[in-house]
Amino acid sequence: MSSYSKIDLHTHSNKSDGELSPTELITKAANNGIRILALTDHDTISGLQDAKKAAIKNNINLVNGVELSTQWDNRTIHIIGLNIDSKNKLMVEKCKKLKEMRKERAEKISLKLSKVGIEGAYEYTKKIAINGNITRYHFAQFLIENKHAKNLTDVFKHFLVKNKPGYVSANWPNLDETINLINAAGGVAVIAHPLRYKITATKLRKLIKEFKNCGGKAIEVITSHNILKEVAIATDYAKKYNLAASIGSDFHNQKTSWSKLGELPLLPDNLLPVWNLWQDNN
Ligand code: AMP
Ligand code: MN
Ligand code: MN
Ligand code: MN
């Protein structure tokens, strides 16, 4: 019997910065043994309809999700909303606004790049971000394609980050607003990849406490990397702060080796799985 989890609650499609369409993603997940999958595109729920159709066809359980960019303590934190009502008006409206914010940010990033002699970034990203949700990943593609950087690591070291060309400070909604929105849409708010933020343990504890105070309910314990030590740390946080535990690959594409679909380890069984908190939104 496979010891891989059949549940993956953090994935991306080409409605944000993933490679596969929602239909392709669901089909691939099903072929790779996933039974329950959440599509959690960055700041958009526009892929959920297609995903639902494909899920029915492939006999997969689709969880409606979104990964919301959030501003906290001068940095960007990702909060996942799981099992949301995809027709919730507030959520639909907010995603519309975030798409517009992304467009404006993309124009600014492009302008900044042109100041160091790199032209045409906006036009390129607009074309490849097929749904209009332009992310820094699309800019990374542009920079790699045009030989300004070797790979993603190179891009996020030399461009698009603080004090580097193409950096634009983010202006995402705050933690309180984001969690309220998820709760209003009947969902469960989850701190995504808690150990990937470059913050001290003290800061992370502060984040978790504020997240809880705002109505957040869960934390990702199994994430894309799953270094044993990190799983243990996240498990401790879940227990200490009485948070439910989530599991998600953060799958973007087939090239990134750490995020293959269907190869996540099981959630530690001494934790409350996040799906025990679902409300019936259907
Ligand atoms: P944005 O939400 O527009 O700021 O874009 C963030 C996206 O860029 C993330 O979701 C990743 O897909 C990608 N990204 C950010 N930092 C890195 C990195 N160091 N390596 C690879 N991809 C990254
Ligand atoms: Mn991404
Ligand atoms: Mn993320
Ligand atoms: Mn993600």
PDB file of all heavy atoms in Angstrom, residues 1-2 42 88 101 104 107 126 134 146 152 157 159 169 173 175 195 222-223 230-231 264-265 277:
ATOM      1  N   MET A   1       0.832  -1.207   0.000  1.00  0.00           N
ATOM      2  CA  MET A   1       0.000   0.000   0.000  1.00  0.00           C
ATOM      3  C   MET A   1       0.869   1.261   0.000  1.00  0.00           C
ATOM      4  O   MET A   1       1.885   1.306   0.669  1.00  0.00           O
ATOM      5  CB  MET A   1      -0.886  -0.017   1.249  1.00  0.00           C
ATOM      6  CG  MET A   1      -2.181   0.746   1.078  1.00  0.00           C
ATOM      7  SD  MET A   1      -3.131   0.778   2.606  1.00  0.00           S
ATOM      8  CE  MET A   1      -2.447   2.191   3.442  1.00  0.00           C
ATOM      9  N   SER A   2       0.462   2.237  -0.789  1.00  0.00           N
ATOM     10  CA  SER A   2       1.248   3.482  -0.841  1.00  0.00           C
ATOM     11  C   SER A   2       1.121   4.241   0.479  1.00  0.00           C
ATOM     12  O   SER A   2       0.054   4.295   1.080  1.00  0.00           O
ATOM     13  CB  SER A   2       0.708   4.353  -1.976  1.00  0.00           C
ATOM     14  OG  SER A   2       1.000   5.704  -1.745  1.00  0.00           O
ATOM     15  N   HIS A  42      -3.505  31.854  -6.494  1.00  0.00           N
ATOM     16  CA  HIS A  42      -3.207  33.133  -5.839  1.00  0.00           C
ATOM     17  C   HIS A  42      -4.300  34.153  -6.139  1.00  0.00           C
ATOM     18  O   HIS A  42      -4.474  34.572  -7.293  1.00  0.00           O
ATOM     19  CB  HIS A  42      -1.890  33.712  -6.352  1.00  0.00           C
ATOM     20  CG  HIS A  42      -0.691  32.882  -6.038  1.00  0.00           C
ATOM     21  ND1 HIS A  42      -0.164  32.793  -4.771  1.00  0.00           N
ATOM     22  CD2 HIS A  42       0.096  32.106  -6.816  1.00  0.00           C
ATOM     23  CE1 HIS A  42       0.911  32.008  -4.800  1.00  0.00           C
ATOM     24  NE2 HIS A  42       1.079  31.565  -6.021  1.00  0.00           N
ATOM     25  N   ASN A  88     -19.648  33.200  -2.964  1.00  0.00           N
ATOM     26  CA  ASN A  88     -19.763  34.254  -1.958  1.00  0.00           C
ATOM     27  C   ASN A  88     -19.416  35.617  -2.566  1.00  0.00           C
ATOM     28  O   ASN A  88     -18.336  35.812  -3.126  1.00  0.00           O
ATOM     29  CB  ASN A  88     -18.828  33.942  -0.784  1.00  0.00           C
ATOM     30  CG  ASN A  88     -18.901  35.015   0.286  1.00  0.00           C
ATOM     31  OD1 ASN A  88     -18.155  35.980   0.231  1.00  0.00           O
ATOM     32  ND2 ASN A  88     -19.798  34.859   1.224  1.00  0.00           N
ATOM     33  N   MET A 101      -5.388  45.017  -8.600  1.00  0.00           N
ATOM     34  CA  MET A 101      -4.158  45.392  -7.882  1.00  0.00           C
ATOM     35  C   MET A 101      -2.938  44.746  -8.522  1.00  0.00           C
ATOM     36  O   MET A 101      -1.882  45.350  -8.648  1.00  0.00           O
ATOM     37  CB  MET A 101      -4.239  44.935  -6.414  1.00  0.00           C
ATOM     38  CG  MET A 101      -4.976  45.891  -5.510  1.00  0.00           C
ATOM     39  SD  MET A 101      -5.131  45.206  -3.846  1.00  0.00           S
ATOM     40  CE  MET A 101      -3.481  45.480  -3.217  1.00  0.00           C
ATOM     41  N   GLU A 104      -2.065  46.597 -11.697  1.00  0.00           N
ATOM     42  CA  GLU A 104      -1.376  47.861 -11.418  1.00  0.00           C
ATOM     43  C   GLU A 104       0.050  47.613 -10.933  1.00  0.00           C
ATOM     44  O   GLU A 104       0.988  48.306 -11.309  1.00  0.00           O
ATOM     45  CB  GLU A 104      -2.159  48.664 -10.373  1.00  0.00           C
ATOM     46  CG  GLU A 104      -3.389  49.324 -10.974  1.00  0.00           C
ATOM     47  CD  GLU A 104      -4.365  49.816  -9.924  1.00  0.00           C
ATOM     48  OE1 GLU A 104      -3.981  49.929  -8.738  1.00  0.00           O
ATOM     49  OE2 GLU A 104      -5.530  50.076 -10.297  1.00  0.00           O
ATOM     50  N   GLU A 107       2.296  46.711 -13.828  1.00  0.00           N
ATOM     51  CA  GLU A 107       2.711  47.888 -14.607  1.00  0.00           C
ATOM     52  C   GLU A 107       3.864  48.608 -13.915  1.00  0.00           C
ATOM     53  O   GLU A 107       4.825  49.040 -14.550  1.00  0.00           O
ATOM     54  CB  GLU A 107       1.518  48.833 -14.811  1.00  0.00           C
ATOM     55  CG  GLU A 107       0.539  48.288 -15.854  1.00  0.00           C
ATOM     56  CD  GLU A 107      -0.820  49.002 -15.841  1.00  0.00           C
ATOM     57  OE1 GLU A 107      -1.120  49.717 -14.864  1.00  0.00           O
ATOM     58  OE2 GLU A 107      -1.578  48.813 -16.801  1.00  0.00           O
ATOM     59  N   LYS A 126       1.598  39.926 -19.377  1.00  0.00           N
ATOM     60  CA  LYS A 126       0.164  40.024 -19.660  1.00  0.00           C
ATOM     61  C   LYS A 126      -0.253  38.875 -20.588  1.00  0.00           C
ATOM     62  O   LYS A 126      -1.337  38.316 -20.462  1.00  0.00           O
ATOM     63  CB  LYS A 126      -0.126  41.374 -20.312  1.00  0.00           C
ATOM     64  CG  LYS A 126      -1.576  41.762 -20.245  1.00  0.00           C
ATOM     65  CD  LYS A 126      -1.784  43.167 -20.749  1.00  0.00           C
ATOM     66  CE  LYS A 126      -3.241  43.352 -21.091  1.00  0.00           C
ATOM     67  NZ  LYS A 126      -3.444  44.080 -22.325  1.00  0.00           N
ATOM     68  N   ILE A 134      -1.492  38.534 -12.841  1.00  0.00           N
ATOM     69  CA  ILE A 134      -0.038  38.552 -13.077  1.00  0.00           C
ATOM     70  C   ILE A 134       0.709  38.464 -11.747  1.00  0.00           C
ATOM     71  O   ILE A 134       0.459  39.251 -10.837  1.00  0.00           O
ATOM     72  CB  ILE A 134       0.375  39.825 -13.838  1.00  0.00           C
ATOM     73  CG1 ILE A 134      -0.477  39.964 -15.117  1.00  0.00           C
ATOM     74  CG2 ILE A 134       1.864  39.797 -14.163  1.00  0.00           C
ATOM     75  CD1 ILE A 134      -0.279  41.286 -15.837  1.00  0.00           C
ATOM     76  N   ASN A 146      14.551  36.012 -21.270  1.00  0.00           N
ATOM     77  CA  ASN A 146      15.378  37.043 -21.904  1.00  0.00           C
ATOM     78  C   ASN A 146      16.810  37.081 -21.362  1.00  0.00           C
ATOM     79  O   ASN A 146      17.517  38.079 -21.532  1.00  0.00           O
ATOM     80  CB  ASN A 146      14.705  38.405 -21.771  1.00  0.00           C
ATOM     81  CG  ASN A 146      13.492  38.494 -22.686  1.00  0.00           C
ATOM     82  OD1 ASN A 146      13.624  38.630 -23.897  1.00  0.00           O
ATOM     83  ND2 ASN A 146      12.309  38.338 -22.109  1.00  0.00           N
ATOM     84  N   LEU A 152      14.897  30.485 -11.321  1.00  0.00           N
ATOM     85  CA  LEU A 152      14.026  31.177 -10.368  1.00  0.00           C
ATOM     86  C   LEU A 152      14.802  31.712  -9.169  1.00  0.00           C
ATOM     87  O   LEU A 152      14.590  32.840  -8.726  1.00  0.00           O
ATOM     88  CB  LEU A 152      12.929  30.222  -9.887  1.00  0.00           C
ATOM     89  CG  LEU A 152      11.794  29.924 -10.878  1.00  0.00           C
ATOM     90  CD1 LEU A 152      10.905  28.819 -10.352  1.00  0.00           C
ATOM     91  CD2 LEU A 152      10.969  31.185 -11.143  1.00  0.00           C
ATOM     92  N   LYS A 157      16.798  36.449  -6.262  1.00  0.00           N
ATOM     93  CA  LYS A 157      17.951  36.972  -5.541  1.00  0.00           C
ATOM     94  C   LYS A 157      18.331  38.353  -6.101  1.00  0.00           C
ATOM     95  O   LYS A 157      18.689  39.249  -5.357  1.00  0.00           O
ATOM     96  CB  LYS A 157      19.123  36.001  -5.746  1.00  0.00           C
ATOM     97  CG  LYS A 157      20.089  35.963  -4.591  1.00  0.00           C
ATOM     98  CD  LYS A 157      20.967  34.740  -4.700  1.00  0.00           C
ATOM     99  CE  LYS A 157      22.356  35.013  -4.191  1.00  0.00           C
ATOM    100  NZ  LYS A 157      23.280  33.952  -4.591  1.00  0.00           N
ATOM    101  N   PHE A 159      16.396  40.192  -8.615  1.00  0.00           N
ATOM    102  CA  PHE A 159      15.311  41.034  -9.126  1.00  0.00           C
ATOM    103  C   PHE A 159      14.058  40.868  -8.246  1.00  0.00           C
ATOM    104  O   PHE A 159      13.932  39.876  -7.516  1.00  0.00           O
ATOM    105  CB  PHE A 159      14.914  40.603 -10.554  1.00  0.00           C
ATOM    106  CG  PHE A 159      15.995  40.788 -11.577  1.00  0.00           C
ATOM    107  CD1 PHE A 159      16.856  39.739 -11.882  1.00  0.00           C
ATOM    108  CD2 PHE A 159      16.149  41.999 -12.255  1.00  0.00           C
ATOM    109  CE1 PHE A 159      17.849  39.896 -12.843  1.00  0.00           C
ATOM    110  CE2 PHE A 159      17.141  42.152 -13.218  1.00  0.00           C
ATOM    111  CZ  PHE A 159      17.987  41.106 -13.504  1.00  0.00           C
ATOM    112  N   SER A 169       6.762  47.566  -3.515  1.00  0.00           N
ATOM    113  CA  SER A 169       6.255  47.142  -2.195  1.00  0.00           C
ATOM    114  C   SER A 169       4.791  46.731  -2.322  1.00  0.00           C
ATOM    115  O   SER A 169       4.027  47.338  -3.071  1.00  0.00           O
ATOM    116  CB  SER A 169       6.427  48.255  -1.174  1.00  0.00           C
ATOM    117  OG  SER A 169       5.695  49.366  -1.589  1.00  0.00           O
ATOM    118  N   PRO A 173      -4.287  43.180   1.388  1.00  0.00           N
ATOM    119  CA  PRO A 173      -5.156  43.326   2.565  1.00  0.00           C
ATOM    120  C   PRO A 173      -4.474  42.781   3.826  1.00  0.00           C
ATOM    121  O   PRO A 173      -3.608  41.909   3.727  1.00  0.00           O
ATOM    122  CB  PRO A 173      -6.376  42.458   2.216  1.00  0.00           C
ATOM    123  CG  PRO A 173      -6.372  42.348   0.733  1.00  0.00           C
ATOM    124  CD  PRO A 173      -4.942  42.405   0.319  1.00  0.00           C
ATOM    125  N   LEU A 175      -4.194  40.959   7.723  1.00  0.00           N
ATOM    126  CA  LEU A 175      -4.547  39.625   8.223  1.00  0.00           C
ATOM    127  C   LEU A 175      -6.026  39.552   8.636  1.00  0.00           C
ATOM    128  O   LEU A 175      -6.736  38.605   8.292  1.00  0.00           O
ATOM    129  CB  LEU A 175      -3.644  39.328   9.430  1.00  0.00           C
ATOM    130  CG  LEU A 175      -3.459  37.896   9.850  1.00  0.00           C
ATOM    131  CD1 LEU A 175      -2.916  37.062   8.712  1.00  0.00           C
ATOM    132  CD2 LEU A 175      -2.497  37.835  11.051  1.00  0.00           C
ATOM    133  N   LEU A 195       6.965  27.883   7.621  1.00  0.00           N
ATOM    134  CA  LEU A 195       8.409  27.979   7.869  1.00  0.00           C
ATOM    135  C   LEU A 195       9.166  28.554   6.669  1.00  0.00           C
ATOM    136  O   LEU A 195      10.385  28.569   6.650  1.00  0.00           O
ATOM    137  CB  LEU A 195       8.964  26.610   8.265  1.00  0.00           C
ATOM    138  CG  LEU A 195       8.324  26.111   9.576  1.00  0.00           C
ATOM    139  CD1 LEU A 195       8.702  24.688   9.871  1.00  0.00           C
ATOM    140  CD2 LEU A 195       8.683  27.019  10.740  1.00  0.00           C
ATOM    141  N   ILE A 222       2.218  19.609   6.649  1.00  0.00           N
ATOM    142  CA  ILE A 222       2.915  18.989   5.521  1.00  0.00           C
ATOM    143  C   ILE A 222       2.840  19.977   4.360  1.00  0.00           C
ATOM    144  O   ILE A 222       1.748  20.352   3.922  1.00  0.00           O
ATOM    145  CB  ILE A 222       2.249  17.644   5.117  1.00  0.00           C
ATOM    146  CG1 ILE A 222       2.259  16.650   6.280  1.00  0.00           C
ATOM    147  CG2 ILE A 222       2.920  17.063   3.886  1.00  0.00           C
ATOM    148  CD1 ILE A 222       3.622  16.140   6.684  1.00  0.00           C
ATOM    149  N   THR A 223       4.008  20.412   3.890  1.00  0.00           N
ATOM    150  CA  THR A 223       4.054  21.418   2.822  1.00  0.00           C
ATOM    151  C   THR A 223       4.907  20.888   1.668  1.00  0.00           C
ATOM    152  O   THR A 223       5.103  19.678   1.551  1.00  0.00           O
ATOM    153  CB  THR A 223       4.634  22.744   3.348  1.00  0.00           C
ATOM    154  OG1 THR A 223       5.974  22.498   3.768  1.00  0.00           O
ATOM    155  CG2 THR A 223       3.837  23.288   4.506  1.00  0.00           C
ATOM    156  N   GLU A 230      11.317  20.301   9.982  1.00  0.00           N
ATOM    157  CA  GLU A 230      10.300  21.341   9.790  1.00  0.00           C
ATOM    158  C   GLU A 230       8.891  20.804  10.064  1.00  0.00           C
ATOM    159  O   GLU A 230       8.056  21.507  10.619  1.00  0.00           O
ATOM    160  CB  GLU A 230      10.382  21.899   8.367  1.00  0.00           C
ATOM    161  CG  GLU A 230      11.628  22.723   8.156  1.00  0.00           C
ATOM    162  CD  GLU A 230      11.649  23.466   6.834  1.00  0.00           C
ATOM    163  OE1 GLU A 230      10.764  23.229   5.969  1.00  0.00           O
ATOM    164  OE2 GLU A 230      12.564  24.278   6.664  1.00  0.00           O
ATOM    165  N   VAL A 231       8.656  19.567   9.675  1.00  0.00           N
ATOM    166  CA  VAL A 231       7.345  18.958   9.962  1.00  0.00           C
ATOM    167  C   VAL A 231       7.157  18.895  11.486  1.00  0.00           C
ATOM    168  O   VAL A 231       6.084  19.196  12.004  1.00  0.00           O
ATOM    169  CB  VAL A 231       7.222  17.551   9.334  1.00  0.00           C
ATOM    170  CG1 VAL A 231       5.923  16.879   9.746  1.00  0.00           C
ATOM    171  CG2 VAL A 231       7.315  17.637   7.806  1.00  0.00           C
ATOM    172  N   LEU A 264       3.031  13.391  -1.316  1.00  0.00           N
ATOM    173  CA  LEU A 264       3.172  13.985   0.017  1.00  0.00           C
ATOM    174  C   LEU A 264       3.108  12.900   1.082  1.00  0.00           C
ATOM    175  O   LEU A 264       2.325  11.953   0.953  1.00  0.00           O
ATOM    176  CB  LEU A 264       2.033  14.981   0.275  1.00  0.00           C
ATOM    177  CG  LEU A 264       2.076  16.320  -0.452  1.00  0.00           C
ATOM    178  CD1 LEU A 264       0.817  17.118  -0.138  1.00  0.00           C
ATOM    179  CD2 LEU A 264       3.322  17.106  -0.070  1.00  0.00           C
ATOM    180  N   PRO A 265       3.903  13.032   2.142  1.00  0.00           N
ATOM    181  CA  PRO A 265       3.755  12.085   3.245  1.00  0.00           C
ATOM    182  C   PRO A 265       2.433  12.318   3.984  1.00  0.00           C
ATOM    183  O   PRO A 265       1.773  13.337   3.774  1.00  0.00           O
ATOM    184  CB  PRO A 265       4.950  12.408   4.153  1.00  0.00           C
ATOM    185  CG  PRO A 265       5.347  13.794   3.814  1.00  0.00           C
ATOM    186  CD  PRO A 265       4.950  14.031   2.374  1.00  0.00           C
ATOM    187  N   LEU A 277     -12.989  20.343  10.092  1.00  0.00           N
ATOM    188  CA  LEU A 277     -13.636  21.636  10.376  1.00  0.00           C
ATOM    189  C   LEU A 277     -14.583  22.085   9.264  1.00  0.00           C
ATOM    190  O   LEU A 277     -15.211  23.121   9.383  1.00  0.00           O
ATOM    191  CB  LEU A 277     -12.587  22.730  10.563  1.00  0.00           C
ATOM    192  CG  LEU A 277     -11.476  22.526  11.600  1.00  0.00           C
ATOM    193  CD1 LEU A 277     -10.546  23.728  11.612  1.00  0.00           C
ATOM    194  CD2 LEU A 277     -12.054  22.302  12.982  1.00  0.00           C
TER     195      LEU A 277
END
